[in-house]
Amino acid sequence: MSLSFLSNTSTIFFDTLLIEKQIKLKYPQVKKVSFTRLFPATLVVGLSFYTPLAQIVQPSNTIVLGENTTVLKVNKKEDERLPRIYYYQLLPQHEQKKGFVITRQDIVYAFTVLQQHRKFGLRFNTITIARPGHFSFTDEEKKLTVLLSSQKTIDKNAEFVHNSVKGLTVKGIKPRIINVEFDQPIITL
């Protein structure tokens, strides 16, 4: 990463907001920029980066997303370390550009659920959004699938799924499917 465009900039009249904007525009994977001035002529630039959290798998590429659904990069192949999101429609080209923040309600919901369940120790490998508002989350290691609807609150769903898995596992029972799409959850063993 080259910040050579800063080389002839005076540290006295340095516009940090403008430079931060330029850095983020040129390098969308940058999350935060900090500056420390060491007079007379030294400027230390600190950068923090978005963490890749998931990827949207499409027929011709995968779109790697950071924690706030920012597009970090587009790959030809899947990254086996990242959860895969299969979305019911292709994303248009302008939403596949580095730095674009995806605001599609279903993808944002899936991301929020993914992060919420990580707090409880579930590591979903595959998220399928087959139609608007309906989600299937699969943890391949635990052989568990969770079916969700965006009509339900994320916090309640995450807590119920966690407590169900924990409670059944203590009893030596491994659930295969937990469906919380409806008012009465359905657990399949």
Side-chain angles (χ1 to χ4, degrees):
M1 175 177 289
S2 171
L3 300 177
S4 60
F5 64 94
L6 297 176
S7 61
N8 292 328
T9 306
S10 166
T11 59
I12 296 173
F13 302 109
F14 190 75
D15 184 349
T16 57
L17 293 175
L18 176 66
I19 299 301
E20 180 176 355
K21 202 179 261 188
Q22 288 175 337
I23 290 171
K24 286 182 175 182
L25 188 62
K26 188 168 182 172
Y27 302 103
Q29 66 272 30
V30 172
K31 180 179 183 178
K32 188 176 179 182
V33 181
S34 63
F35 302 97
T36 305
R37 294 178 185 166
L38 303 173
F39 289 103
T42 302
L43 179 70
V44 178
V45 180
L47 304 174
S48 65
F49 299 90
Y50 285 108
T51 303
L53 284 186
Q55 60 192 329
I56 298 173
V57 178
Q58 301 196 123
S60 62
N61 62 19
T62 62
I63 302 160
V64 178
L65 302 176
E67 57 255 41
N68 70 339
T69 67
T70 297
V71 175
L72 301 180
K73 61 183 170 179
V74 178
N75 294 332
K76 292 287 181 199
K77 297 169 96 176
E78 293 179 32
D79 184 336
E80 292 301 318
R81 299 167 296 174
L82 294 175
R84 299 172 302 280
I85 298 174
Y86 295 97
Y87 192 55
Y88 60 88
Q89 64 186 27
L90 295 177
L91 295 181
Q93 286 298 319
H94 75 276
E95 290 185 24
Q96 297 182 35
K97 291 189 171 139
K98 282 185 186 180
F100 186 85
V101 178
I102 294 179
T103 58
R104 291 174 179 258
Q105 194 172 9
D106 287 332
I107 293 173
V108 171
Y109 183 88
F111 243 74
T112 306
V113 169
L114 185 67
Q115 290 175 314
Q116 192 76 325
H117 282 279
R118 277 190 174 167
K119 292 177 188 175
F120 291 120
L122 288 173
R123 301 277 182 234
F124 294 117
N125 311 85
T126 305
I127 300 120
T128 303
I129 308 170
R131 63 184 194 271
H134 294 275
F135 307 85
S136 168
F137 291 80
T138 303
D139 183 327
E140 293 167 2
E141 183 182 317
K142 292 184 176 158
K143 296 180 174 46
L144 171 68
T145 298
V146 177
L147 303 173
L148 298 172
S149 164
S150 61
Q151 302 301 314
K152 306 289 182 185
T153 65
I154 293 171
D155 293 337
K156 276 189 173 182
N157 281 339
E159 191 174 331
F160 176 81
V161 169
H162 169 69
N163 290 337
S164 298
V165 170
K166 186 177 175 184
L168 291 169
T169 303
V170 165
K171 295 177 182 179
I173 302 169
K174 290 189 177 184
R176 287 185 310 123
I177 300 171
I178 299 178
N179 186 339
V180 288
E181 291 180 289
F182 309 105
D183 290 335
Q184 293 297 318
I186 302 167
I187 298 176
T188 305
L189 304 176

